[in-house]
Amino acid sequence: MLMNIQRHSKAISYAGCLTQVCFVLVFAGVENSLLAAMAYDRYVAICHPLRYSVIMNPRLCVLLIVLSLTISVVYGLLHSLMVLRLSFCTNLEIPHFFCELDQVIKLACSDTLINNILFYLVSGILGGVPLLGIIYSYIKIASSILKMSSAGGKHKAFSTCGSHLSVVSLFYGMGFGVYISSVVTDSFTNTAAASVMYTVVPPMLNPFIYSLRNRDMKEALRKLIIKPPFW
């Protein structure tokens, strides 16, 4: 998007489009996997606080990061290489602000059945499994919090999960919104607008959401909001 604005041109090469498809899938997969890993971290911290340092040791943390990156890279390369088997006409126009896999497949002149089956099957597994893990973790977390007798302990536990829950809701909520909008409407404008919200808004808000756990950030924000008018 920034390149289009800078060059005043929306043209992209075939290789550039495939590269963009791969990176979009890799980054989405990494975000998806790391959100599940963070949910597990919250689960261990709240449900097994005395064993937290033993379970969430540096070796496991590195393993979770490497596993997330490996799965996401394989996922991105798989779909990008599968696009290579498709035939395309020349001078095609993608009704989007970036090369989204679904839109690229729709422009193919050859049979796309295998690509569509693979896309929905693999995306369903790689998206569904982490989401189920997150849901399971928060069911256990909620059960543990409700058993706490101390109101302070409950508040501290909820505040620990607040930022992560906000990011999860934003990420999956926007994602489902994009999917539903692409299914129920044929308007490319609406689909592109939904994708902008999904690809731009969550990454933009993530630093603010996580930073609000910092006491100094909270104090600075409070002063900014209730700042007296300057006369």
Side-chain angles (χ1 to χ4, degrees):
M1 184 171 62
L2 293 174
M3 184 65 74
N4 293 344
I5 295 170
Q6 196 264 336
R7 292 174 55 189
H8 302 288
S9 171
K10 297 180 181 180
I12 187 170
S13 66
Y14 179 65
C17 188
L18 285 182
T19 304
Q20 200 174 75
V21 166
C22 184
F23 273 105
V24 168
L25 294 175
V26 168
F27 289 140
V30 168
E31 175 87 0
N32 193 40
S33 301
L34 289 181
L35 285 175
M38 291 171 69
Y40 178 69
D41 174 77
R42 300 299 190 276
Y43 160 73
V44 175
I46 293 173
C47 299
H48 305 284
L50 298 179
R51 298 177 58 204
Y52 178 81
S53 58
V54 176
I55 297 173
M56 296 303 295
N57 56 72
R59 184 179 177 181
L60 178 62
C61 294
V62 172
L63 180 63
L64 289 173
I65 294 171
V66 171
L67 189 64
S68 300
L69 285 171
T70 304
I71 293 173
S72 302
V73 169
V74 171
Y75 173 60
L77 288 175
L78 172 67
H79 287 300
S80 301
L81 294 174
M82 285 298 293
V83 172
L84 289 174
R85 60 178 290 275
L86 301 176
S87 300
F88 295 91
C89 303
T90 57
N91 298 324
L92 292 173
E93 183 178 343
I94 300 173
H96 220 296
F97 77 98
F98 70 96
C99 291
E100 191 179 50
L101 180 62
D102 184 47
Q103 298 295 333
V104 173
I105 291 175
K106 287 179 180 178
L107 295 175
C109 302
S110 54
D111 183 37
T112 61
L113 179 62
I114 296 176
N115 291 75
N116 284 319
I117 291 174
L118 192 66
F119 174 66
Y120 288 109
L121 179 65
V122 178
S123 298
I125 294 172
L126 293 184
V129 172
L131 180 58
L132 288 175
I134 292 170
I135 293 171
Y136 175 79
S137 296
Y138 275 105
I139 289 174
K140 289 291 186 180
I141 288 170
S143 176
S144 296
I145 291 175
L146 291 174
K147 292 177 183 177
M148 294 179 181
S149 57
S150 168
K154 290 182 178 180
H155 180 267
K156 186 177 180 180
F158 274 120
S159 65
T160 302
C161 302
S163 58
H164 181 253
L165 268 176
S166 301
V167 175
V168 168
S169 303
L170 200 61
F171 182 76
Y172 285 104
M174 294 277 186
F176 285 124
V178 171
Y179 173 75
I180 293 170
S181 68
S182 63
V183 170
V184 302
T185 180
D186 293 327
S187 173
F188 294 124
T189 305
N190 291 342
T191 304
S195 292
V196 170
M197 295 293 292
Y198 178 60
T199 56
V200 175
V201 175
M204 182 180 68
L205 293 180
N206 280 355
F208 295 100
I209 292 172
Y210 288 123
S211 296
L212 287 177
R213 291 187 62 194
N214 185 293
R215 188 173 297 174
D216 293 333
M217 282 291 294
K218 287 181 180 178
E219 184 64 22
L221 185 63
R222 186 186 67 81
K223 289 180 179 179
L224 184 66
I225 293 174
I226 63 173
K227 185 178 180 180
F230 178 76
W231 299 102

